[in-house]
Amino acid sequence: MSNALVFQSDFGLSDGAVSAMYGVAHSVNSEIPIFDLTHDIPPFDIWAASYRLLQTVSYWPKYTVFVSVVDPGVGSDRKSVVVRTVTDQYIVTPDNGSLSHINHKIGLKDVRVIDENINRLPKSGASHTFHGRDIYAYTGARLAANVISFEQVGPELPLDSIESLPFMEAYYEGGIVTGMIDILDVRFGNLWTNISRQLFLKLGVDYGDKIEVMIQHDSRDVYKSMMVYGRSFADIAVSKPLVYVNSLDNIAVAINQGSFAKIHNIGTGSNWKILVRKA
């Protein structure tokens, strides 16, 4: 019996790239259950790819295989790897930083470099620009269908050899909680931070309290204002901002029925810092 195979990419759905990966997987075993995480990662955005894996992986059963292809370095000397998480899911991906969030927040158990002499789509020619189809989908499908074991992916690598993007842990100091804007709730423009609810509650806050929110980009102040800490958007008027707990149990910032990110031109990553304190 095959395990689930979950695809993520920055390919979009406007051409045949994603369908080609499905086809490769089903050519390995037509009974593989295939799902999509997303194909709307912004082009070349390794940070977003890393976060979306964190958002999703731990909710899937053991032995689920994820194929994540956001690969601006395709055809270069960057490694192609398969990792096993501490919760026994597999991720097939270029080793370019897309494992950063999983490595920091969930943990990796093992990593193997893909042996392309064995785990490459037969008759895929000399193309070096579609590894998502020729290497990652093919290897992921073989692993999901139990055609190969994890050990047959290729040689083992040291865990500390995995590429990592700059990362900042949230912290509490002097009545202020500081974190980073990890990602956007893309469709709605909400800011999702890496500040956990437990860390935020060290401020001694309760629903309805006023919170001062400060946002910095590369140490430059770009936003500062007071807003309410609410349970949900219904706690405030339309067009008003609030602080709330998102679906990952982290602190987020939003405008009710508006895009906070667009209105205030806010981005994501370790150089986007957010500071919150009780007013």
Side-chain angles (χ1 to χ4, degrees):
M1 181 176 177
S2 296
N3 295 300
L5 182 63
V6 183
F7 284 106
Q8 167 176 278
S9 76
D10 58 353
F11 298 163
L13 296 173
S14 299
D15 65 12
V18 172
S19 183
M21 293 197 296
Y22 293 171
V24 166
H26 275 159
S27 73
V28 172
N29 185 321
S30 61
E31 296 183 356
I32 295 175
I34 296 177
F35 304 90
D36 293 313
L37 194 164
T38 180
H39 295 290
D40 287 329
I41 299 292
F44 319 121
D45 193 338
I46 297 168
W47 180 273
S50 174
Y51 186 90
R52 296 306 176 196
L53 288 171
L54 174 67
Q55 184 181 1
T56 309
V57 165
S58 63
Y59 295 99
W60 284 79
K62 286 185 177 183
Y63 314 124
T64 297
V65 178
F66 291 82
V67 172
S68 177
V69 191
V70 177
D71 194 13
V74 63
S76 69
D77 59 359
R78 62 95 183 93
K79 297 186 291 293
S80 298
V81 299
V82 182
V83 298
R84 177 164 52 188
T85 71
V86 296
T87 47
D88 288 323
Q89 294 94 0
Y90 298 105
I91 304 172
V92 185
T93 187
D95 179 26
N96 59 8
S98 59
L99 295 164
S100 298
H101 283 83
I102 292 288
N103 197 13
H104 276 92
K105 296 297 185 180
I106 294 178
L108 303 178
K109 188 185 295 184
D110 310 282
V111 55
R112 291 183 176 269
V113 64
I114 297 174
D115 183 348
E116 296 180 19
N117 294 314
I118 301 170
N119 295 304
R120 183 183 172 103
L121 180 67
K123 301 180 181 179
S124 56
S127 171
H128 295 284
T129 60
F130 199 177
H131 288 177
R133 176 194 65 194
D134 299 338
I135 298 171
Y136 302 136
Y138 184 67
T139 302
R142 281 159 61 84
L143 189 59
N146 299 303
V147 173
I148 58 171
S149 66
F150 177 62
E151 289 71 26
Q152 290 172 305
V153 165
E156 189 171 12
L157 294 174
L159 282 172
D160 60 8
S161 72
I162 291 294
E163 292 291 328
S164 185
L165 301 173
F167 208 84
M168 173 195 145
E169 294 290 353
Y171 62 92
Y172 171 87
E173 184 176 40
I176 297 174
V177 175
T178 302
M180 63 180 175
I181 301 171
D182 234 348
I183 204 74
L184 302 182
D185 186 358
V186 177
R187 189 169 179 83
F188 303 104
N190 305 337
L191 315 182
W192 283 20
T193 80
N194 69 332
I195 299 171
S196 69
R197 175 175 54 87
Q198 293 87 344
L199 185 62
F200 177 70
L201 291 178
K202 287 189 175 183
L203 297 176
V205 296
D206 203 353
Y207 294 121
D209 287 345
K210 288 288 187 70
I211 306 296
E212 184 179 55
V213 174
M214 298 158 280
I215 297 174
Q216 299 174 345
H217 183 220
D218 291 329
S219 299
R220 178 175 60 88
D221 294 338
V222 297
Y223 178 87
K224 182 177 180 180
S225 188
M226 297 290 184
M227 60 186 72
V228 172
Y229 171 41
R231 288 183 174 85
S232 72
F233 310 109
D235 288 352
I236 59 166
V238 172
S239 80
K240 296 298 184 182
L242 85 158
V243 174
Y244 69 101
V245 178
N246 69 13
S247 59
L248 295 184
D249 211 28
N250 288 335
I251 295 304
V253 178
I255 290 176
N256 189 10
Q257 299 186 33
S259 171
F260 195 103
K262 183 180 292 186
I263 290 170
H264 298 290
N265 197 27
I266 306 297
T268 64
S270 58
N271 60 339
W272 282 91
K273 188 182 293 186
I274 183 166
L275 302 88
V276 295
R277 67 184 178 110
K278 187 175 180 179

